[in-house]
Amino acid sequence: MIKRFTAICPRCGKSWEYEIEVGDLEAIRVPASMKICCDACEQLAKREQIRMQVNKEAERAKRRGDELLKLSGIPKKFQLFDIRLGNQRLVNWIMENSTRSLLIPGKTGTCKTRSVCFAARKLCEGGTSVRFHETGVLCESVCALFKTDVDEGTRYQRQLMKSELVVLDDFDKFKATERTVQFLFELANAAYEGRLRLWLTTNADVRSLTRKINSVPGDYGEPIIRRLKETCDRWRG
């Protein structure tokens, strides 16, 4: 049986009539009002589909970035860069070297934390998993976990090192104990072996850091410094 339909192009509004057999399921499956009348309209429809797909992917990426930022621990007050308060040269240097481990020494007031947090936020937006910690607070938490439950402390340490980037702020401000230095060695070694990126800020110079780490009995001090020197690009601004 033959049936007559009127089709209207959804792109240009042109209408035309056509006939199909009722048994032609493939033709009936396509609503008449959705048929494309010419190549130009078909190309426009394809471009529209591509645009919608790109927008969906951008929305998914933004949601993913927002989730990563929420989990990162980056302080909200440092997530937005203010040129009046920030160090633009340092931000530019961090972003240019963002795929590497970084050591950022400098005196108090040189905007190390603000700059590194802004750069870390940009990486979160790009899909990088980041963990921000004040070094002293992190070390105390890890030591407390190991003291209470060694297995739990080990799990936390492994979970931390699954992050693509770990930011340790005020790297010189930690209580120098054997457990702390051992934990810092594990982080430095992971960065040395390419399993982790470390961004470290510190108010101390390398010599002061070396003396503090070496003040703890054990064999971790020098290996930590050696690994950081070989792994980290150093800010010299």
Side-chain angles (χ1 to χ4, degrees):
M1 180 179 178
I2 303 297
K3 293 200 68 173
R4 183 178 295 274
F5 291 88
T6 298
I8 300 175
C9 178
R11 297 296 166 185
C12 66
K14 179 181 177 180
S15 63
W16 72 98
E17 294 185 348
Y18 65 98
E19 297 177 345
I20 62 171
E21 293 185 13
V22 173
D24 188 350
L25 298 179
E26 195 65 32
I28 293 176
R29 195 174 294 136
V30 180
S33 62
M34 294 303 293
K35 287 186 175 293
I36 304 298
C37 72
C38 62
D39 290 342
C41 289
E42 186 173 358
Q43 291 300 319
L44 184 61
K46 289 180 178 179
R47 288 196 294 270
E48 181 68 13
Q49 288 178 347
I50 292 172
R51 185 188 66 79
M52 293 175 63
Q53 183 63 30
V54 169
N55 287 343
K56 286 182 180 179
E57 291 176 358
E59 290 174 3
R60 283 197 294 267
K62 185 180 184 306
R63 287 196 298 269
R64 173 63 175 163
D66 291 343
E67 291 173 1
L68 290 171
L69 183 59
K70 189 180 297 184
L71 294 171
S72 69
I74 301 173
K76 289 186 178 180
K77 65 179 180 179
F78 293 142
Q79 289 180 12
L80 297 178
F81 184 75
D82 188 336
I83 191 62
R84 297 168 300 175
L85 303 174
N87 184 332
Q88 187 67 61
R89 286 183 58 243
L90 177 54
V91 170
N92 292 343
W93 180 82
I94 295 172
M95 294 305 297
E96 289 169 2
N97 298 278
S98 61
T99 59
R100 295 182 52 79
S101 291
L102 305 176
L103 176 61
I104 306 171
K107 297 179 180 179
T108 301
T110 52
C111 299
K112 300 182 299 297
T113 301
R114 188 178 298 277
S115 299
V116 81
C117 284
F118 175 76
R121 180 180 73 85
K122 298 298 287 184
L123 291 192
C124 284
E125 292 175 351
T128 300
S129 60
V130 177
R131 293 294 182 273
F132 173 93
H133 292 282
E134 294 180 10
T135 306
V137 175
L138 174 63
C139 289
E140 287 182 8
S141 299
V142 171
C143 288
L145 279 175
F146 273 102
K147 187 175 182 180
T148 303
D149 187 333
V150 174
D151 291 338
E152 186 64 27
T154 301
R155 278 194 295 270
Y156 179 84
Q157 181 173 295
R158 288 176 179 172
Q159 187 64 34
L160 177 65
M161 289 193 289
K162 287 181 180 179
S163 306
E164 296 172 80
L165 170 65
V166 173
V167 181
L168 297 181
D169 193 34
D170 289 330
F171 187 63
D172 54 301
K173 295 181 180 179
F174 61 88
K175 186 177 180 181
T177 66
E178 186 175 356
R179 170 55 67 185
T180 295
V181 173
Q182 183 178 350
F183 169 63
L184 295 178
F185 170 79
E186 294 294 339
L187 291 177
N189 192 57
Y192 180 73
E193 294 178 351
R195 295 182 283 115
L196 176 71
R197 263 180 290 171
L198 280 178
W199 289 1
L200 312 175
T201 72
T202 176
N203 295 330
D205 55 34
V206 175
R207 289 183 179 179
S208 299
L209 277 175
T210 303
R211 285 196 299 270
K212 182 170 185 176
I213 294 174
N214 283 334
S215 67
V216 179
D219 300 324
Y220 290 107
E222 187 58 35
I224 291 176
I225 298 300
R226 186 172 65 251
R227 281 163 171 73
L228 293 180
K229 284 183 176 180
E230 293 183 20
T231 303
C232 297
D233 286 355
R234 184 179 174 187
W235 166 248
R236 301 181 184 275

